[in-house]
Amino acid sequence: MNKNFKLNVLGVMTGTSMDGVDISLINTNGTNFVKIKCEKSYKFNKNYQNILNNLIINKPKKKSKIKEYFLKKDDFVTDILEKKIILFLKQKKINKKNIDLISISGQTVYHNPSNKISIQLGNGEKIAKKIKIKTISNLRDNDIKNGGQGAPIGSYYHKFLIQKINKKAIIVNLGGIANFSTLVSKSLLSSDIGPANCLIDDLSNYFFKKKFDKDGNYARKGKIDSKLLDKFKKDKFFKKNFPKSLDRNYFRNYFNKLIKLDKYDALMTANYMTFIGFKKLLKNKKFKIEKILLTGGGRKNKLLTEILENKLKKKFELIDKYRINGDLVESQMFAYIGMRSFKNLVISNKNTTRVKKNLSGGVLYYPD
């Protein structure tokens, strides 16, 4: 197989914020070449978000029943992904014959690597048969089976961007959960670092029936609850070494405490909870960082970026400055690692997911 051959890959990403689906069509060899052909974000309606949030909150306590419980909604998510992909192809006037591969992340609804389970809804096999294009999914499974965390799984695309922009940069993705990637002595290092939008978005929905707090305007009216923030700083997650990963609902116990506060104070405190993860990340002496690049929806939260810059005395840049759409990095990422999976190239290692050996991953499904 020619290692430099390229394919047109459609990356489909539904993040832990559960606010929409991002789709990117790229041409790539999965290593040193990426050309973005077209891309678009589609928002989910509140009904989708509420159905999945309620599903997650009401999950069974017995671990043996969890997979069966979540998979009852697999067709619900698959159907929505299929419709969005078909809409994308129609709006962008793309002939299916010009797409070689679809790579989907699936909607993460449960993540518990210590029990070797991470559930993403969205069936790759059904999408391949419905849309009639080869589809790769289940990109985390091989990593988890081999002792890894299964997340962050897209680090090798971050590596590609870092090598393109600045080899001493760190990329921090602000989705529902915050994660980073950077190069340390030429080795790729990635990890989740704490909450990004999950608590802020859930509070915005709870108090104001809004998907998010635009520019942090509600939070600006509040003040920090120091006692709760002090408890948060001592959470056992922050004592673990990198790499480590989080379920979106890991911090739900703090959400339950936050909703007892004044609504504006709750949102301001949640912003500072995101700041805590950053603070602990940037204390790491191994990093020789020249640029901090932000991607994901949280980069648009003006209050959060002000807090980060003022408290950390660091300058943050939006990845958009480098003509890369910060809303769509993750869908580009899944297209890129889908290509790496197709070529059986490494998508995770001991420094990105704590897996025991360099691994590829993913399952390839055919239309018939």
Side-chain angles (χ1 to χ4, degrees):
M1 185 185 283
N2 179 357
K3 287 187 177 180
N4 289 318
F5 84 88
K6 305 176 184 74
L7 293 179
N8 290 328
V9 188
L10 195 73
V12 183
M13 171 64 184
T14 48
T16 49
S17 290
M18 299 192 299
D19 57 350
V21 58
D22 303 324
I23 304 177
S24 296
L25 178 61
I26 72 172
N27 181 254
T28 183
N29 60 2
T31 53
N32 61 356
F33 178 83
V34 171
K35 181 180 180 182
I36 299 164
K37 304 191 85 170
C38 57
E39 50 191 353
K40 188 174 174 65
S41 290
Y42 296 93
K43 294 297 179 188
F44 290 141
N45 60 36
K46 284 293 295 175
N47 183 54
Y48 175 93
Q49 228 172 355
N50 289 336
I51 285 171
L52 288 190
N53 264 324
N54 288 332
L55 186 76
I56 291 166
I57 292 165
N58 296 313
K59 69 181 182 293
K61 291 181 179 177
K62 282 190 177 179
K63 289 167 188 170
S64 59
K65 294 185 176 180
I66 281 176
K67 192 165 188 177
E68 181 186 359
Y69 166 80
F70 279 115
L71 288 179
K72 287 176 183 176
K73 285 295 179 187
D74 198 43
D75 284 346
F76 169 73
V77 173
T78 301
D79 183 58
I80 289 172
L81 294 183
E82 286 172 355
K83 286 176 180 174
K84 297 300 184 187
I85 293 168
I86 291 166
L87 179 61
F88 177 82
L89 298 179
K90 183 180 178 181
Q91 289 180 338
K92 299 296 183 181
K93 298 178 181 177
I94 300 167
N95 189 323
K96 286 193 287 188
K97 292 178 182 176
N98 294 326
I99 299 177
D100 302 298
L101 187 66
I102 295 173
S103 176
I104 69 165
S105 68
Q107 179 67 68
T108 299
V109 288
Y110 183 75
H111 182 73
N112 189 338
S114 60
N115 285 317
K116 292 187 179 292
I117 184 167
S118 185
I119 300 171
Q120 286 73 45
L121 301 182
N123 190 302
E125 184 176 15
K126 289 181 179 177
I127 288 171
K129 288 178 178 176
K130 173 77 174 180
I131 301 178
K132 310 250 182 275
I133 298 171
K134 291 193 294 287
T135 299
I136 282 178
S137 63
N138 308 86
L139 285 153
R140 304 175 195 274
D141 290 3
N142 197 36
D143 184 86
I144 286 182
K145 284 174 188 172
N146 284 276
Q149 299 272 309
I153 202 64
S155 312
Y156 278 81
Y157 185 60
H158 281 174
K159 180 183 179 182
F160 166 80
L161 293 176
I162 288 166
Q163 289 175 323
K164 182 179 174 183
I165 296 169
N166 185 315
K167 289 179 181 176
K168 291 185 178 178
I170 183 169
I171 292 178
V172 183
N173 171 51
L174 297 174
I177 296 296
N179 61 63
F180 81 91
S181 299
T182 194
L183 294 174
V184 179
S185 302
K186 296 184 180 180
S187 294
L188 177 63
L189 177 61
S190 296
S191 181
D192 287 349
I193 62 172
N197 306 326
C198 59
L199 289 172
I200 299 167
D201 290 352
D202 287 354
L203 290 167
S204 299
N205 183 38
Y206 181 85
F207 287 122
F208 302 102
K209 305 301 178 196
K210 301 282 187 184
K211 285 186 178 181
F212 56 89
D213 180 11
K214 185 174 172 56
D215 295 331
N217 289 333
Y218 288 132
R220 286 180 191 278
K221 298 177 183 179
K223 59 184 185 297
I224 304 161
D225 187 287
S226 299
K227 285 184 180 179
L228 184 53
L229 195 63
D230 285 342
K231 285 182 183 176
F232 180 82
K233 289 176 189 175
K234 295 170 186 172
D235 191 278
K236 63 183 180 181
F237 172 78
F238 298 115
K239 294 172 184 174
K240 295 178 182 178
N241 294 325
F242 297 138
K244 51 190 174 180
S245 66
L246 282 165
D247 180 81
R248 185 192 190 279
N249 261 33
Y250 174 84
F251 295 108
R252 189 75 189 179
N253 59 323
Y254 295 101
F255 172 83
N256 293 334
K257 292 180 173 68
L258 286 162
I259 59 175
K260 293 175 183 176
L261 305 178
D262 170 83
K263 56 191 175 184
Y264 302 116
D265 292 354
L267 278 160
M268 178 59 90
T269 305
N271 275 271
Y272 269 82
M273 286 175 171
T274 296
F275 157 70
I276 294 301
F278 267 87
K279 184 178 180 182
K280 292 182 181 292
L281 166 67
L282 296 177
K283 273 185 174 179
N284 196 309
K285 302 285 192 236
K286 287 194 279 187
F287 302 162
K288 307 296 180 188
I289 299 166
E290 290 182 358
K291 286 184 183 294
I292 305 170
L293 305 172
L294 299 182
T295 76
R299 79 194 192 288
K300 295 177 180 176
N301 181 341
K302 290 180 181 177
L303 171 65
L304 177 60
T305 53
E306 286 169 20
I307 291 168
L308 294 175
E309 290 193 337
N310 293 338
K311 290 288 181 182
L312 296 171
K313 308 298 182 192
K314 302 274 187 186
K315 181 68 178 170
F316 290 77
E317 291 182 353
L318 305 189
I319 204 163
D320 309 69
K321 177 181 175 181
Y322 299 92
R323 296 185 178 180
I324 299 163
N325 188 326
D327 287 330
L328 292 155
V329 168
E330 301 290 289
S331 50
Q332 297 164 19
M333 169 191 292
F334 273 90
Y336 181 85
I337 65 166
M339 182 60 173
R340 289 185 69 85
S341 170
F342 187 77
K343 287 186 169 183
N344 201 33
L345 298 174
V346 174
I347 65 171
S348 61
N349 67 52
K350 66 180 182 180
N351 294 318
T352 65
T353 64
R354 207 180 284 276
V355 72
K356 294 171 185 175
K357 58 184 178 181
N358 290 0
L359 282 181
S360 190
V363 180
L364 177 62
Y365 297 101
Y366 290 85
D368 43 39

